[in-house]
Amino acid sequence: GRRAVELSAKARQPIAALWGHLWRVDAALQLGNMAEVDRELAEIERVARERGSIVARWHHLRYLAAYGALVGDFPAARRADDAAHALADRVGDVALVGMSMAFLTQLAIVTGDPGVVPIEWERVLAQAPPMPLVSVALSIQHVIEGRCDLARSEFEAFRHLPATFPVGIRWAPTLAQIEIGAVLLDDAEVADAVYLRLAHTAVYY
């Protein structure tokens, strides 16, 4: 990430510096280095401001939302997410809108308030790619709404994945989402299977 930022001084596109800072803020979050997170967020905001980058602005807002949720400042998290959602709507990118929906689902779990998830969540989810990381959200959202029997039947398709899902860029978040579903549904067998696969990542924040 540091090298990408160094090289970006000669780049014409703001995206070069942005990716370096995004990689660094991700790493800082995993290490629990919140001072470094603050510094990198300031750099992402600078790229957005000085280069007029909508992409940088959206990423900055998404990180502010995550940061607010992490430290328990839920009103700030909602404000940042609302701004990111509005920007995604303006751009017209369904993937960016979907990130807001995913965030609000997680916020509903943390706060115990299913009302934070917009009523159109199923329509947005239907437009998303049919990958397990996304699809398992259907079961999670239904159990949040109290429709446990439906959620349990939908979750059945994901119960085998902890043992078979290939390691790659979506491995950890997919298993983490399956773990959330398992806990919400009191599925101790799947929760244990995911725990055993993810235990070695416990050194990270």
Side-chain angles (χ1 to χ4, degrees), residues 125-158:
L125 192 61
Q127 297 175 317
M131 62 180 73
L133 176 59
V134 176
S135 303
V136 72
L138 190 65
S139 173
I140 292 172
Q141 184 57 34
H142 282 148
V143 74
I144 290 172
E145 293 178 343
R147 302 163 70 183
C148 294
D149 289 341
L150 174 60
R152 195 166 283 107
S153 66
E154 293 166 337
F155 189 71
E156 194 64 33
F158 305 97

Side-chain angles (χ1 to χ4, degrees), residues 2-168:
R2 183 181 300 114
R3 184 63 178 142
V5 171
E6 291 169 355
L7 291 172
S8 71
K10 300 178 181 179
R12 295 180 180 179
Q13 297 296 325
I15 201 75
L18 174 64
W19 281 114
H21 292 304
L22 290 174
W23 292 333
R24 286 179 59 78
V25 76
D26 277 342
L29 278 169
Q30 277 195 289
L31 295 171
N33 186 342
M34 302 310 289
E36 189 70 17
V37 169
D38 288 337
R39 284 191 288 271
E40 292 301 328
L41 285 180
E43 288 300 309
I44 295 169
E45 196 279 331
R46 182 185 59 77
V47 172
R49 184 181 68 254
E50 293 181 358
R51 306 297 292 270
S53 170
I54 293 176
V55 175
R57 178 64 60 197
W58 180 83
H59 277 289
H60 184 249
L61 291 167
R62 285 258 53 95
Y63 274 105
L64 289 181
Y67 192 104
L70 180 65
V71 301
D73 190 346
F74 301 124
R78 288 297 305 274
R79 288 193 298 271
D81 178 69
D82 287 344
H85 195 167
L87 189 57
D89 275 337
R90 199 174 87 201
V91 173
D93 190 320
V94 67
L96 302 189
V97 172
M99 287 302 295
S100 183
M101 203 67 64
F103 174 78
L104 290 173
T105 297
Q106 302 303 310
L107 200 63
I109 295 168
V110 171
T111 62
D113 179 10
V116 303
V117 182
I119 57 174
E120 70 270 20
W121 70 267
E122 286 191 79
R123 177 183 58 79
V124 174
L125 192 61
Q127 297 175 317
M131 62 180 73
L133 176 59
V134 176
S135 303
V136 72
L138 190 65
S139 173
I140 292 172
Q141 184 57 34
H142 282 148
V143 74
I144 290 172
E145 293 178 343
R147 302 163 70 183
C148 294
D149 289 341
L150 174 60
R152 195 166 283 107
S153 66
E154 293 166 337
F155 189 71
E156 194 64 33
F158 305 97
R159 298 188 78 252
H160 71 285
L161 286 184
T164 61
F165 198 76
V167 175

